Tab-separated table of all heavy atoms in Angstrom:
chain	number	residue	atom	x	y	z
H	1	PRO	N	-58.214	-45.422	-20.128
H	1	PRO	CA	-58.439	-43.988	-20.024
H	1	PRO	C	-57.335	-43.158	-20.692
H	1	PRO	O	-56.179	-43.586	-20.696
H	1	PRO	CB	-58.435	-43.739	-18.476
H	1	PRO	CG	-58.692	-45.042	-17.857
H	1	PRO	CD	-58.125	-46.098	-18.838
H	2	ALA	N	-57.710	-42.071	-21.308
H	2	ALA	CA	-56.750	-41.221	-22.029
H	2	ALA	C	-55.677	-40.672	-21.030
H	2	ALA	O	-54.510	-40.509	-21.465
H	2	ALA	CB	-57.415	-40.063	-22.752
H	3	MET	N	-56.040	-40.385	-19.832
H	3	MET	CA	-55.109	-39.903	-18.836
H	3	MET	C	-54.002	-40.866	-18.496
H	3	MET	O	-52.895	-40.492	-18.194
H	3	MET	CB	-55.840	-39.401	-17.611
H	3	MET	CG	-56.821	-38.296	-17.852
H	3	MET	SD	-56.029	-36.816	-18.528
H	3	MET	CE	-54.904	-36.364	-17.226
H	4	ALA	N	-54.378	-42.128	-18.603
H	4	ALA	CA	-53.389	-43.220	-18.301
H	4	ALA	C	-52.312	-43.253	-19.396
H	4	ALA	O	-51.222	-43.760	-19.101
H	4	ALA	CB	-54.062	-44.514	-18.171
H	5	LEU	N	-52.631	-42.733	-20.555
H	5	LEU	CA	-51.630	-42.796	-21.644
H	5	LEU	C	-50.908	-41.468	-21.800
H	5	LEU	O	-50.024	-41.389	-22.646
H	5	LEU	CB	-52.353	-43.073	-23.014
H	5	LEU	CG	-53.093	-44.458	-23.075
H	5	LEU	CD1	-53.854	-44.539	-24.390
H	5	LEU	CD2	-52.128	-45.604	-22.906
H	6	LEU	N	-51.270	-40.480	-21.025
H	6	LEU	CA	-50.671	-39.141	-21.215
H	6	LEU	C	-49.202	-39.147	-20.983
H	6	LEU	O	-48.407	-38.689	-21.804
H	6	LEU	CB	-51.434	-38.153	-20.362
H	6	LEU	CG	-51.019	-36.687	-20.474
H	6	LEU	CD1	-51.361	-36.203	-21.850
H	6	LEU	CD2	-51.706	-35.818	-19.469
H	7	ILE	N	-48.753	-39.651	-19.841
H	7	ILE	CA	-47.332	-39.680	-19.491
H	7	ILE	C	-46.537	-40.534	-20.403
H	7	ILE	O	-45.478	-40.135	-20.880
H	7	ILE	CB	-47.191	-39.993	-17.997
H	7	ILE	CG1	-47.799	-38.935	-17.114
H	7	ILE	CG2	-45.659	-40.188	-17.665
H	7	ILE	CD1	-47.735	-39.199	-15.619
H	8	PRO	N	-46.992	-41.793	-20.659
H	8	PRO	CA	-46.191	-42.644	-21.596
H	8	PRO	C	-46.057	-41.999	-22.964
H	8	PRO	O	-44.983	-42.078	-23.589
H	8	PRO	CB	-46.984	-43.919	-21.657
H	8	PRO	CG	-47.744	-43.952	-20.361
H	8	PRO	CD	-48.080	-42.564	-20.057
H	9	VAL	N	-47.094	-41.388	-23.485
H	9	VAL	CA	-47.013	-40.742	-24.815
H	9	VAL	C	-46.044	-39.617	-24.753
H	9	VAL	O	-45.243	-39.389	-25.694
H	9	VAL	CB	-48.424	-40.317	-25.285
H	9	VAL	CG1	-48.311	-39.451	-26.534
H	9	VAL	CG2	-49.332	-41.568	-25.573
H	10	TYR	N	-46.078	-38.824	-23.684
H	10	TYR	CA	-45.209	-37.703	-23.581
H	10	TYR	C	-43.723	-38.146	-23.517
H	10	TYR	O	-42.834	-37.550	-24.184
H	10	TYR	CB	-45.533	-36.856	-22.312
H	10	TYR	CG	-44.631	-35.719	-22.131
H	10	TYR	CD1	-44.793	-34.504	-22.799
H	10	TYR	CD2	-43.550	-35.788	-21.202
H	10	TYR	CE1	-43.939	-33.443	-22.633
H	10	TYR	CE2	-42.699	-34.710	-21.008
H	10	TYR	CZ	-42.917	-33.519	-21.736
H	10	TYR	OH	-42.084	-32.477	-21.540
H	11	LYS	N	-43.473	-39.222	-22.744
H	11	LYS	CA	-42.083	-39.749	-22.705
H	11	LYS	C	-41.625	-40.256	-24.031
H	11	LYS	O	-40.490	-40.092	-24.455
H	11	LYS	CB	-41.989	-40.801	-21.642
H	11	LYS	CG	-42.099	-40.290	-20.206
H	11	LYS	CD	-41.899	-41.408	-19.204
H	11	LYS	CE	-41.893	-40.921	-17.802
H	11	LYS	NZ	-41.703	-42.005	-16.774
H	12	LEU	N	-42.564	-40.926	-24.749
H	12	LEU	CA	-42.191	-41.435	-26.073
H	12	LEU	C	-41.882	-40.287	-27.049
H	12	LEU	O	-40.880	-40.387	-27.776
H	12	LEU	CB	-43.353	-42.297	-26.574
H	12	LEU	CG	-43.183	-42.896	-27.975
H	12	LEU	CD1	-41.990	-43.849	-28.032
H	12	LEU	CD2	-44.439	-43.655	-28.445
H	13	LEU	N	-42.765	-39.309	-27.101
H	13	LEU	CA	-42.478	-38.158	-27.903
H	13	LEU	C	-41.198	-37.391	-27.515
H	13	LEU	O	-40.462	-36.923	-28.374
H	13	LEU	CB	-43.693	-37.214	-27.899
H	13	LEU	CG	-44.945	-37.739	-28.463
H	13	LEU	CD1	-46.090	-36.740	-28.272
H	13	LEU	CD2	-44.814	-38.061	-29.955
H	14	GLY	N	-40.924	-37.376	-26.194
H	14	GLY	CA	-39.677	-36.727	-25.758
H	14	GLY	C	-38.465	-37.489	-26.233
H	14	GLY	O	-37.438	-36.872	-26.590
H	15	SER	N	-38.517	-38.811	-26.169
H	15	SER	CA	-37.344	-39.622	-26.625
H	15	SER	C	-37.205	-39.489	-28.144
H	15	SER	O	-36.055	-39.673	-28.600
H	15	SER	CB	-37.581	-41.116	-26.292
H	15	SER	OG	-38.743	-41.604	-26.948
H	16	MET	N	-38.246	-39.182	-28.873
H	16	MET	CA	-38.106	-38.948	-30.334
H	16	MET	C	-37.826	-37.549	-30.676
H	16	MET	O	-37.633	-37.221	-31.844
H	16	MET	CB	-39.427	-39.371	-30.990
H	16	MET	CG	-39.800	-40.881	-30.743
H	16	MET	SD	-41.421	-41.267	-31.332
H	16	MET	CE	-41.294	-40.914	-33.091
H	17	GLY	N	-37.708	-36.634	-29.663
H	17	GLY	CA	-37.428	-35.240	-29.957
H	17	GLY	C	-38.548	-34.508	-30.640
H	17	GLY	O	-38.338	-33.557	-31.381
H	18	LEU	N	-39.780	-34.859	-30.286
H	18	LEU	CA	-40.956	-34.225	-30.942
H	18	LEU	C	-41.771	-33.367	-30.007
H	18	LEU	O	-42.870	-32.899	-30.399
H	18	LEU	CB	-41.870	-35.331	-31.513
H	18	LEU	CG	-41.255	-36.222	-32.620
H	18	LEU	CD1	-42.263	-37.278	-33.059
H	18	LEU	CD2	-40.822	-35.333	-33.796
H	19	VAL	N	-41.219	-33.100	-28.800
H	19	VAL	CA	-41.941	-32.193	-27.872
H	19	VAL	C	-41.839	-30.768	-28.401
H	19	VAL	O	-40.884	-30.377	-28.984
H	19	VAL	CB	-41.338	-32.289	-26.486
H	19	VAL	CG1	-42.093	-31.331	-25.498
H	19	VAL	CG2	-41.483	-33.718	-25.940
H	20	ASN	N	-42.953	-30.054	-28.275
H	20	ASN	CA	-43.095	-28.642	-28.699
H	20	ASN	C	-42.860	-28.572	-30.232
H	20	ASN	O	-42.228	-27.685	-30.724
H	20	ASN	CB	-42.069	-27.752	-28.012
H	20	ASN	CG	-42.299	-27.591	-26.552
H	20	ASN	OD1	-43.452	-27.621	-26.065
H	20	ASN	ND2	-41.245	-27.468	-25.749
H	21	SER	N	-43.488	-29.530	-30.961
H	21	SER	CA	-43.471	-29.528	-32.397
H	21	SER	C	-44.842	-29.933	-32.915
H	21	SER	O	-45.691	-30.472	-32.178
H	21	SER	CB	-42.404	-30.432	-32.932
H	21	SER	OG	-42.733	-31.785	-32.589
H	22	TYR	N	-45.107	-29.602	-34.150
H	22	TYR	CA	-46.367	-29.962	-34.792
H	22	TYR	C	-46.489	-31.484	-34.880
H	22	TYR	O	-47.592	-32.027	-34.642
H	22	TYR	CB	-46.462	-29.363	-36.222
H	22	TYR	CG	-46.754	-27.887	-36.199
H	22	TYR	CD1	-45.904	-27.012	-36.869
H	22	TYR	CD2	-47.825	-27.379	-35.529
H	22	TYR	CE1	-46.203	-25.655	-36.873
H	22	TYR	CE2	-48.138	-26.038	-35.538
H	22	TYR	CZ	-47.284	-25.146	-36.231
H	22	TYR	OH	-47.592	-23.775	-36.207
H	23	LEU	N	-45.409	-32.141	-35.159
H	23	LEU	CA	-45.511	-33.616	-35.275
H	23	LEU	C	-45.825	-34.231	-33.912
H	23	LEU	O	-46.445	-35.292	-33.910
H	23	LEU	CB	-44.160	-34.206	-35.775
H	23	LEU	CG	-43.833	-33.914	-37.244
H	23	LEU	CD1	-42.501	-34.514	-37.621
H	23	LEU	CD2	-44.887	-34.505	-38.146
H	24	GLY	N	-45.388	-33.571	-32.837
H	24	GLY	CA	-45.710	-34.147	-31.511
H	24	GLY	C	-47.173	-34.153	-31.161
H	24	GLY	O	-47.616	-34.960	-30.348
H	25	ILE	N	-47.979	-33.265	-31.797
H	25	ILE	CA	-49.396	-33.247	-31.563
H	25	ILE	C	-50.194	-33.980	-32.667
H	25	ILE	O	-51.314	-34.353	-32.457
H	25	ILE	CB	-49.938	-31.844	-31.321
H	25	ILE	CG1	-49.669	-30.957	-32.558
H	25	ILE	CG2	-49.318	-31.191	-30.077
H	25	ILE	CD1	-50.226	-29.564	-32.478
H	26	ILE	N	-49.536	-34.080	-33.832
H	26	ILE	CA	-50.230	-34.708	-34.942
H	26	ILE	C	-50.136	-36.218	-34.919
H	26	ILE	O	-51.135	-36.941	-35.119
H	26	ILE	CB	-49.645	-34.152	-36.267
H	26	ILE	CG1	-50.027	-32.667	-36.431
H	26	ILE	CG2	-50.232	-34.974	-37.475
H	26	ILE	CD1	-49.421	-31.987	-37.655
H	27	ILE	N	-48.948	-36.757	-34.620
H	27	ILE	CA	-48.748	-38.178	-34.704
H	27	ILE	C	-49.620	-38.975	-33.746
H	27	ILE	O	-50.222	-39.992	-34.156
H	27	ILE	CB	-47.229	-38.484	-34.432
H	27	ILE	CG1	-46.417	-38.045	-35.641
H	27	ILE	CG2	-47.053	-39.989	-34.213
H	27	ILE	CD1	-44.916	-38.261	-35.476
H	28	PRO	N	-49.792	-38.562	-32.490
H	28	PRO	CA	-50.674	-39.353	-31.582
H	28	PRO	C	-52.148	-39.383	-32.036
H	28	PRO	O	-52.879	-40.233	-31.574
H	28	PRO	CB	-50.474	-38.643	-30.216
H	28	PRO	CG	-49.199	-37.959	-30.302
H	28	PRO	CD	-49.084	-37.474	-31.748
H	29	ARG	N	-52.537	-38.401	-32.859
H	29	ARG	CA	-53.950	-38.334	-33.269
H	29	ARG	C	-54.141	-38.676	-34.709
H	29	ARG	O	-55.290	-38.521	-35.250
H	29	ARG	CB	-54.437	-36.907	-33.034
H	29	ARG	CG	-54.356	-36.389	-31.655
H	29	ARG	CD	-55.241	-37.188	-30.752
H	29	ARG	NE	-56.659	-37.132	-31.109
H	29	ARG	CZ	-57.601	-37.827	-30.591
H	29	ARG	NH1	-57.344	-38.680	-29.601
H	29	ARG	NH2	-58.836	-37.697	-30.991
H	30	MET	N	-53.136	-39.217	-35.383
H	30	MET	CA	-53.286	-39.574	-36.746
H	30	MET	C	-54.307	-40.754	-36.895
H	30	MET	O	-54.969	-40.895	-38.009
H	30	MET	CB	-51.964	-39.941	-37.416
H	30	MET	CG	-51.053	-38.767	-37.695
H	30	MET	SD	-49.685	-39.214	-38.774
H	30	MET	CE	-48.902	-40.532	-37.925
H	31	ALA	N	-54.410	-41.621	-35.960
H	31	ALA	CA	-55.277	-42.725	-35.959
H	31	ALA	C	-55.998	-42.787	-34.632
H	31	ALA	O	-55.387	-42.741	-33.572
H	31	ALA	CB	-54.625	-44.049	-36.217
H	32	ASP	N	-57.321	-42.944	-34.683
H	32	ASP	CA	-58.152	-42.936	-33.468
H	32	ASP	C	-59.107	-44.138	-33.552
H	32	ASP	O	-59.789	-44.320	-34.559
H	32	ASP	CB	-58.908	-41.632	-33.330
H	32	ASP	CG	-59.755	-41.617	-32.072
H	32	ASP	OD1	-59.129	-41.470	-30.991
H	32	ASP	OD2	-61.012	-41.731	-32.172
H	33	VAL	N	-59.141	-44.897	-32.476
H	33	VAL	CA	-59.994	-46.095	-32.450
H	33	VAL	C	-61.454	-45.699	-32.616
H	33	VAL	O	-62.219	-46.397	-33.314
H	33	VAL	CB	-59.735	-46.928	-31.183
H	33	VAL	CG1	-60.673	-48.133	-31.149
H	33	VAL	CG2	-58.308	-47.352	-31.105
């Protein structure tokens, strides 16, 4: 489920300093199964 990945993805983006940035919303959606 997408909701199960929401918090891990947010923490990962936060550790990379990409929260509140364009890259933070673009990178998780660059590839979709």
Side-chain angles (χ1 to χ4, degrees):
M3 296 303 296
L5 300 175
L6 186 61
I7 295 177
V9 170
Y10 179 80
K11 289 184 176 181
L12 178 61
L13 294 175
S15 64
M16 298 171 63
L18 298 178
V19 178
N20 294 328
S21 66
Y22 285 125
L23 291 177
I25 59 176
I26 292 174
I27 290 178
R29 300 297 300 175
M30 285 194 306
D32 181 72
V33 178

